Amino acid sequence: MESFSSNILAALLFLLAFTTSMDSASAARPTAGGTNTEFIRTSCSATTYPKLCYTSLSTHAAAVRQDSKLLAHTALSVTLDSARSTSTMIGKLSHIRGMRPREVGAMQDCVEELSDSVYQLSRSMKEMNEIKGSNFGMIMSDVQTWVSAAMTDEDTCMDGFAGKVMNGKVKTAVREKIVNVAHLTSNALALINRYAALHN
């Protein structure tokens, strides 16, 4: 039974590695519209993780054009998709037989934190759609607060995997995905702050 669980875990980890590499490959593909992609590259230089920022957003260059609001909104959308898929993946991993109770607990706590993060990112996206000239400052303040809260949730999730709570392969795979979400969120917040600064 334990070897069956190990085989399932190995298969899930392989699938995780495969989808991560496919995401990276598709994000790195060159896109049409050099001016639009250059706008994204320049905007991403203001983020903490500019390479990730560019690879995650350059495929959206045609839709973003050279619009700072659309870029910030797209960054939120990409981050939200990543947070949702990571939460789903961790939820599935937490149900694999043979895991220790502390491992399962850390994963379930993380799913809860990521659910909070997804909620904060979702409401930020909806709120950005409501921006008008008169309410810009109030809405941007809310969005900045909510995206910051999402980052805190992701950091709390990562804290659950500190130390020797989990076995090596699961811990590495899960942390890698959570770190990616946290970095995407950081980049989205930087682009939101840049949009707010340009507007003012």
Side-chain angles (χ1 to χ4, degrees):
M1 194 67 165
E2 190 170 323
S3 106
F4 178 71
S5 297
S6 297
N7 289 341
I8 291 176
L9 178 60
L12 279 170
L13 292 174
F14 173 77
L15 184 62
L16 169 65
F18 180 73
T19 56
T20 302
S21 67
M22 291 298 289
D23 289 346
S24 301
S26 65
R29 267 187 226 126
T31 55
T35 307
N36 295 342
T37 54
E38 195 52 43
F39 168 73
I40 291 173
R41 188 184 306 280
T42 302
S43 300
C44 284
S45 67
T47 68
T48 307
Y49 309 99
K51 184 176 179 184
L52 175 64
C53 177
Y54 179 75
T55 57
S56 65
L57 296 174
S58 60
T59 56
H60 304 279
V64 168
R65 300 183 303 275
Q66 295 180 53
D67 186 314
S68 294
K69 179 183 177 183
L70 287 175
L71 182 61
H73 198 274
T74 302
L76 274 175
S77 177
V78 166
T79 303
L80 179 59
D81 289 345
S82 181
R84 281 184 177 140
S85 66
T86 299
S87 180
T88 300
M89 182 269 298
I90 294 171
K92 287 178 182 173
L93 280 177
S94 72
H95 290 97
I96 291 177
R97 290 184 184 178
M99 295 193 81
R100 296 186 308 247
R102 286 186 67 191
E103 293 174 330
V104 172
M107 286 191 172
Q108 289 173 341
D109 289 347
C110 188
V111 168
E112 190 175 319
E113 294 295 337
L114 285 175
S115 294
D116 290 345
S117 178
V118 164
Y119 172 70
Q120 302 290 1
L121 294 168
S122 296
R123 69 196 291 211
S124 297
M125 284 185 64
K126 287 177 190 164
E127 195 76 356
M128 280 192 75
N129 289 331
E130 302 301 319
I131 291 178
K132 299 174 183 66
S134 59
N135 65 5
F136 183 87
M138 184 182 71
I139 285 182
M140 288 310 294
S141 176
D142 286 345
V143 168
Q144 289 163 323
T145 299
W146 296 333
V147 177
S148 294
M151 284 179 63
T152 301
D153 292 329
E154 293 151 11
D155 288 343
T156 303
C157 173
M158 281 192 287
D159 291 344
F161 297 96
K164 297 181 179 178
V165 174
M166 308 202 88
N167 84 41
K169 289 180 182 175
V170 175
K171 179 177 177 176
T172 301
V174 170
R175 271 190 66 86
E176 184 178 297
K177 291 296 270 184
I178 297 165
V179 166
N180 186 62
V181 173
H183 289 181
L184 286 171
T185 307
S186 170
N187 286 345
L189 182 58
L191 294 172
I192 288 163
N193 291 341
R194 185 174 187 272
Y195 167 57
L198 289 171
H199 189 274
N200 293 333

